[in-house]
């Protein structure tokens, strides 16, 4: 029941889709055996362009469908395929999907041959001239193709749980848990039962000592589904959890909700949903988590990797979340510029990493067909991701696009309808643009090394009563390679500190997301001529640059000591080392030269007064060594 059967192995692939590939008979020797996740084209590290992955490719796989599945729905889900998919079973079209960043499901049952071999085929269009977001103009990132996220089967009865949206309301002694359940088909005399369990395995080890729950299933609620409930209207069921453990960035307690659908004594369907109990609100003066003000400190993340584009498995998706939270000490991430892997989001839930997630797009707004697809994308994003407690904000404007009120009225309405609990934002590059969202989210690229780290809220927002969040800074203002000279790498780090400090000094800015976590391949209009944007605080392989330490210094779990120089004078013009900084979260850093003590540095010596551990200038190389 509700078990996912992953179809990762045994696929055959061809860069050129041919009609014949959908048929049961096809000369398969010409096809290449591949596994999912798969990129339609492996790329060089740099100096390549998007023409490599512009193709209409074909995927083919045999599938034995057992006779026991007769009369059931055989649901096949693609978590992500770039960018336009048409799915066939035994030569018959079973569905299509027009977005490379959201999941979709097709039902195979109408064309299944039971007890026999079936042929599954996908025509996948990864060309950038598709009339869907984010395409239509230039884009500052590669939009790789391929079935790059998991594919799985689920076999379900006609009367089944279709979708469950869990939201909670915290009162002084308890949490009210509401589930909005959609049934696939509603028959008479149904009964829904729910149980909850604290997912202790999700609690970060060492952080929590007060878990008293026995971790068994606890009864939450039970309700009959009234006759006349339609499959379209969500059915609401409510229960309470006394003295709940709240989810936050330090103690990311997760609960598991088990929902069972009964008819008399027969269990028809069962589903589990992970959720968190937390109160996340943006106010005029900042962001509040469970009633406490929290400054958002994050970076933007693309979902790309060297050589394989988007095609990385669960372990690597989760690793990025770990790097952001544990190595860089951040409390937030923006999934620029599209919804990302659920594995990444699940890890954010487990780690307590706040997420701003947005629907696909980059600067350009297309025609009516394109916009209609964008609205569908917003719907799909919210339905598919709304149970993740880590998500605190939906991005429902095309990143850095101009105002388009009729369009954005629609995307906001969709978001508020499908998730009345979460606010909307929409990333803009234009000050004082129309605000149809709940939070004004703006890319502030003011800082150029000399200018202030950020603009004050009142200079940017069109409504100062609404919350304000900085969604990007730095990035193209100072591209820096991991192998650039020391001055540049050091200046890069200092600029990140300058912005972080300036934002922390403004009480009414909810926080900021720097551009960006790591370097990425890009189109010819951007980057350093080698098709790389060197905008990351890490390189493409997630190796940290000096700037990474500026972020890491703000956390307390792992000790950090980074000097912005290797002290090799030959690295510098005229052998003049220039300004050197200590990046550390230590209470004290003692500097020695040839084993001789020179000076002790403490956090309060940093001129960055709004950071816990800002960079400290090394201003003494002599100490009392002069005789
Ligand atoms: C922004 C854009 C990002 C990236 C960044 C570079 O304008 O939203 O995708 O291009 O600039 O700094």
């Amino acid at each position: 029941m509700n078990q996912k059967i992953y179809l990762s192995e045994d696929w055959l692939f061809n860069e050129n889709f041919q009609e014949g590939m959908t048929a049961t008979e096809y000369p398969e020797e010409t096809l290449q055996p591949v596994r999912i996740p798969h990129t339609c084209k492996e790329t060089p590290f740099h100096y390549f362009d998007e023409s490599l992955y512009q193709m209409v490719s074909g995927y083919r796989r045999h599938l034995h469908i057992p006779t026991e599945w007769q009369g059931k729905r055989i649901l096949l889900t693609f978590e992500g395929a770039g960018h336009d998919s048409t799915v066939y079973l035994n030569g018959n079209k079973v569905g299509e999907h027009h977005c490379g960043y959201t999941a979709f499901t097709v039902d195979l049952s109408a064309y299944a041959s039971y007890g026999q071999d079936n042929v599954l085929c996908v025509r996948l269009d990864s060309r950038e001239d598709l009339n869907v977001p984010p395409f239509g103009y230039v884009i500052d990132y590669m939009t790789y193709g391929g079935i790059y996220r998991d594919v799985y089967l689920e076999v379900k009865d006609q009367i089944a749980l279709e979708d469950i949206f869990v939201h909670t309301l915290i009162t002084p002694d308890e949490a009210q848990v509401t589930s909005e359940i959609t049934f696939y088909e509603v028959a008479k005399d149904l009964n829904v039962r729910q149980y909850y369990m604290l997912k202790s395995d999700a609690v970060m080890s060492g952080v929590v000592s007060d878990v008293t729950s026995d971790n068994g299933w606890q009864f939450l609620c039970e309700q009959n589904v009234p006759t006349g409930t339609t499959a379209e209207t969500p059915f609401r069921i409510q229960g309470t959890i006394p003295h709940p453990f709240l989810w936050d960035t330090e103690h990311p307690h997760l609960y598991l909700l088990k929902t069972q659908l009964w008819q008399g004594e027969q269990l028809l369907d069962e589903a589990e949903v992970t959720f968190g109990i937390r109160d996340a609100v943006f106010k005029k003066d900042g962001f509040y988590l469970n009633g406490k003000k929290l400054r958002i400190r994050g970076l933007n993340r693309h979902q790309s990797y060297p050589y394989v584009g988007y095609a990385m498995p669960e372990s690597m998706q989760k690793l990025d979340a770990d790097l952001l939270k544990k190595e860089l000490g951040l409390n937030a991430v923006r999934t620029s510029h599209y919804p990302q892997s659920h594995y990444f989001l699940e890890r954010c839930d487990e780690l307590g990493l706040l997420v701003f997630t947005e629907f696909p797009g980059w600067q350009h707004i297309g025609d009516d067909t394109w916009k209609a697809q964008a609205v569908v994308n917003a719907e799909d994003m919210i339905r598919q991701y709304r149970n993740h407690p880590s998500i605190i904000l939906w991005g429902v404007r095309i990143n850095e696009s101009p105002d388009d009120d009729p369009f954005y009225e629609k995307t906001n309405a969709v978001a508020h309808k499908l998730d009345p609990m979460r606010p909307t934002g929409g990333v803009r590059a234009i000050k004082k643009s129309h605000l149809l969202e709940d939070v004004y989210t703006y890319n502030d690229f003011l800082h150029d090394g000399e200018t202030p780290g950020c603009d004050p809220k009142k200079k940017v927002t069109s409504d100062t009563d609404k919350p304000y969040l900085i969604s990007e800074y730095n990035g193209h203002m100072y591209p820096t390679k991991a192998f650039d000279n020391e001055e540049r790498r050091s200046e890069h780090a200092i600029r990140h500190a300058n912005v972080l400090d300036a934002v922390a000094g403004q009480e009414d800015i909810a926080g900021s997301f720097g551009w960006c976590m790591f370097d990425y391949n890009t189109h010819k209009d951007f980057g350093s001529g080698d098709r790389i944007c060197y905008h990351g605080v890490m390189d493409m392989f997630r190796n940290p640059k000096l700037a990474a330490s500026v972020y890491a210094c703000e956390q307390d779990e792992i000790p950090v000591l980074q000097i912005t120089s290797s002290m090799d004078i030959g690295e510098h013009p005229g052998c003049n080392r220039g300004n050197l900084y200590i990046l550390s979260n230590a209470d004290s850093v003692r500097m020695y030269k040839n084993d001789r003590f020179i000076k002790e540095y403490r956090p309060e010596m940093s001129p960055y007064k709004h950071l816990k551990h800002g960079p400290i200038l090394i201003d003494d190389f002599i100490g009392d060594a002069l005789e």
Side-chain angles (χ1 to χ4, degrees):
M1 206 176 285
N2 239 343
Q3 208 187 338
K4 288 180 180 166
I5 305 165
Y6 284 88
L7 304 184
S8 306
E9 310 287 338
D10 304 325
W11 287 86
L12 297 167
F13 172 73
N14 195 17
E15 287 190 10
N16 294 304
F17 169 82
Q18 285 140 13
E19 289 301 327
M21 276 180 86
T22 66
T24 40
E25 301 300 326
Y26 185 80
E28 294 188 335
E29 317 73 67
T30 58
L31 305 178
Q32 184 198 346
V34 298
R35 298 184 72 218
I36 307 289
H38 180 253
T39 182
C40 69
K41 193 77 182 180
E42 285 177 26
T43 65
F45 177 70
H46 51 7
Y47 292 106
F48 68 94
D49 66 41
E50 66 284 359
S51 63
L52 284 187
Y53 58 80
Q54 306 294 298
M55 60 177 81
V56 182
S57 59
Y59 288 82
R60 190 177 151 97
R61 192 188 188 282
H62 290 263
L63 190 66
H64 177 79
I65 300 186
T67 42
E68 304 86 74
W69 292 2
Q70 219 145 6
K72 306 208 182 249
R73 289 182 299 142
I74 306 166
L75 303 177
L76 179 68
T77 297
F78 293 80
E79 283 284 341
H83 284 264
D84 190 282
S85 314
T86 314
V87 185
Y88 302 84
L89 188 73
N90 302 327
N92 304 289
K93 183 165 142 187
V94 288
E96 53 189 31
H97 186 68
H98 312 292
C99 176
Y101 301 96
T102 50
F104 64 100
T105 300
V106 295
D107 186 348
L108 303 181
S109 55
Y111 298 104
S113 299
Y114 295 94
Q116 290 175 43
D117 182 57
N118 290 256
V119 171
L120 189 62
C121 185
V122 183
R123 175 195 186 271
L124 187 59
D125 192 339
S126 53
R127 293 174 300 183
E128 295 189 339
D129 57 1
L130 290 165
N131 189 27
V132 299
F135 305 119
Y137 187 52
V138 296
I139 304 175
D140 171 26
Y141 51 92
M142 291 273 180
T143 60
Y144 308 98
I147 303 181
Y148 69 88
R149 292 186 195 147
D150 285 343
V151 180
Y152 54 82
L153 273 177
E154 287 166 298
V155 182
K156 290 197 177 189
D157 285 322
Q158 301 297 333
I159 305 169
L161 296 163
E162 188 72 356
D163 181 57
I164 302 168
F165 172 34
V166 185
H167 45 90
T168 60
L169 185 75
I170 303 167
T171 59
D173 307 314
E174 59 186 31
Q176 196 178 73
V177 181
T178 306
S179 306
E180 294 184 15
I181 305 171
T182 319
F183 302 104
Y184 183 69
E185 194 179 281
V186 192
K188 274 191 184 160
D189 306 323
L190 292 184
N191 175 275
V192 173
R193 282 180 218 162
Q194 290 193 319
Y195 302 85
Y196 70 93
M197 181 169 77
L198 181 69
K199 263 186 94 180
S200 63
D201 58 340
V203 174
M204 284 166 79
S205 59
V207 177
V208 177
S209 54
D210 55 352
V211 180
T212 51
S213 157
D214 64 3
N215 292 326
W217 290 106
Q218 314 272 327
F219 177 76
L220 182 71
C221 50
E222 175 167 4
Q223 208 173 306
N224 287 318
V225 184
T227 321
T229 307
T230 66
E232 286 83 50
T233 338
F235 167 74
R236 289 165 75 93
I237 176 165
Q238 243 169 28
T240 53
I241 298 181
H243 308 293
F245 291 100
L246 300 189
W247 184 96
D248 67 24
T249 53
E250 281 170 27
H251 304 273
H253 293 283
L254 291 174
Y255 285 84
L256 203 56
L257 181 75
K258 179 153 74 179
T259 304
Q260 294 184 328
L261 189 62
W262 291 82
Q263 190 159 43
E265 288 311 299
Q266 198 196 349
L267 178 60
L268 298 180
D269 197 9
E270 186 172 78
E272 287 182 11
V273 173
T274 299
F275 71 103
I277 301 173
R278 91 280 184 282
D279 179 41
V281 277
F282 284 88
K283 296 188 186 170
K284 180 181 170 179
D285 70 333
F287 174 69
Y288 289 77
L289 187 60
N290 302 330
K292 271 194 259 157
K293 192 166 180 179
L294 180 75
R295 183 78 56 160
I296 290 172
R297 203 179 57 249
L299 287 171
N300 283 270
R301 177 199 187 233
H302 267 304
Q303 62 174 14
S304 53
Y305 295 83
Y307 313 119
V308 296
Y310 288 160
M312 273 294 191
E314 175 177 2
S315 56
M316 296 301 283
Q317 302 294 338
K318 294 194 164 174
L319 179 64
D320 268 3
D322 277 89
L323 293 176
L324 288 163
K325 180 80 202 272
K326 295 184 181 170
E327 190 168 317
L328 299 176
L330 301 172
N331 60 21
V333 58
R334 170 171 168 233
T335 65
S336 49
H337 299 295
Y338 36 76
Q340 301 186 356
S341 163
H342 280 285
Y343 292 129
F344 177 73
L345 271 298
E346 278 164 18
R347 193 64 188 141
C348 293
D349 294 341
E350 290 172 359
L351 289 166
L353 190 64
L354 306 167
V355 183
F356 173 13
T357 206
E358 66 190 350
F359 74 161
W362 204 84
Q363 293 189 350
H364 164 77
I365 301 176
D367 61 14
D368 287 348
T369 314
W370 190 102
K371 287 190 210 179
Q373 181 61 44
V375 175
V376 170
N377 294 349
E379 272 173 17
D380 285 348
M381 168 178 81
I382 292 164
R383 254 190 243 284
Q384 292 169 16
Y385 289 82
R386 58 190 173 172
N387 285 322
H388 288 289
S390 54
I391 296 179
I392 53 164
L393 189 62
W394 297 120
V396 296
R397 280 176 78 105
I398 300 298
N399 173 68
E400 293 192 331
S401 58
D403 285 334
D404 184 334
D405 290 2
F407 176 35
Y408 291 133
E409 271 157 19
K410 280 192 200 143
T411 58
N412 273 284
V414 156
H416 288 133
K417 177 165 173 258
L418 292 176
D419 183 1
M421 313 303 144
R422 284 189 186 84
T424 57
V427 171
R428 53 200 83 223
I430 304 166
K431 286 180 186 161
K432 312 258 175 196
S433 45
H434 292 184
L435 180 58
L436 304 172
E437 294 75 34
D438 305 307
V439 183
Y440 199 98
T441 47
Y442 169 73
N443 291 348
D444 183 337
F445 290 110
L446 175 67
H447 187 56
D448 67 359
E450 300 294 325
T451 41
C454 66
D455 260 322
K457 175 180 174 181
K458 62 176 186 312
K459 264 190 140 178
V460 179
T461 62
S462 36
D463 180 351
T464 47
D465 284 336
K466 291 277 183 77
Y468 175 46
L469 176 68
I470 296 176
S471 33
E472 291 180 33
Y473 58 86
N474 284 355
H476 66 277
M477 297 302 288
Y478 206 71
T480 303
K481 304 177 177 84
F483 47 91
D484 265 334
N485 65 37
E486 226 169 69
E487 267 90 357
R488 191 163 185 103
R489 288 184 289 115
S490 169
E491 170 68 8
H492 182 229
I494 291 304
R495 286 185 183 214
H496 276 271
N498 292 345
V499 178
L500 276 180
D501 190 59
V503 174
Q506 308 257 340
E507 272 308 311
D508 53 1
I509 304 183
S512 59
F513 293 90
W515 192 265
C516 60
M517 181 183 175
F518 47 81
D519 300 340
Y520 52 96
N521 290 121
T522 190
H523 288 83
K524 71 173 183 334
D525 320 271
F526 308 91
S528 295
D530 57 357
R531 303 304 163 92
I532 296 180
C533 266
Y534 293 95
H535 295 176
V537 304
M538 297 175 143
D539 70 10
M540 258 199 263
F541 297 99
R542 284 56 169 169
N543 294 311
K545 301 178 190 172
L546 283 178
S549 299
V550 169
Y551 291 89
C553 283
E554 292 302 285
Q555 53 82 46
D556 302 314
E557 302 271 315
I558 304 165
V560 177
L561 176 59
Q562 176 73 59
I563 310 299
T564 60
S565 175
S566 64
M567 306 284 178
D568 294 296
I569 55 171
E571 163 77 347
H572 303 272
C575 298
N576 180 357
R577 271 188 309 240
N579 285 345
L580 314 187
Y581 297 90
I582 296 168
L583 306 175
S584 178
N585 57 357
D587 295 338
S588 140
V589 176
R590 294 191 190 136
M591 189 170 119
Y592 294 79
K593 188 172 174 186
N594 298 332
D595 284 340
R596 186 163 186 160
F597 175 73
I598 305 285
K599 181 167 174 176
E600 179 168 9
Y601 292 89
R602 296 184 174 280
E604 55 276 16
M605 293 174 174
S606 168
Y608 295 85
K609 296 300 172 211
H610 305 291
L611 298 181
K612 261 202 284 182
H613 296 281
I616 305 172
L617 184 71
I618 300 179
D619 57 2
D620 190 352
F621 290 88
I622 300 169
D624 56 7
L626 265 190
E627 284 170 12

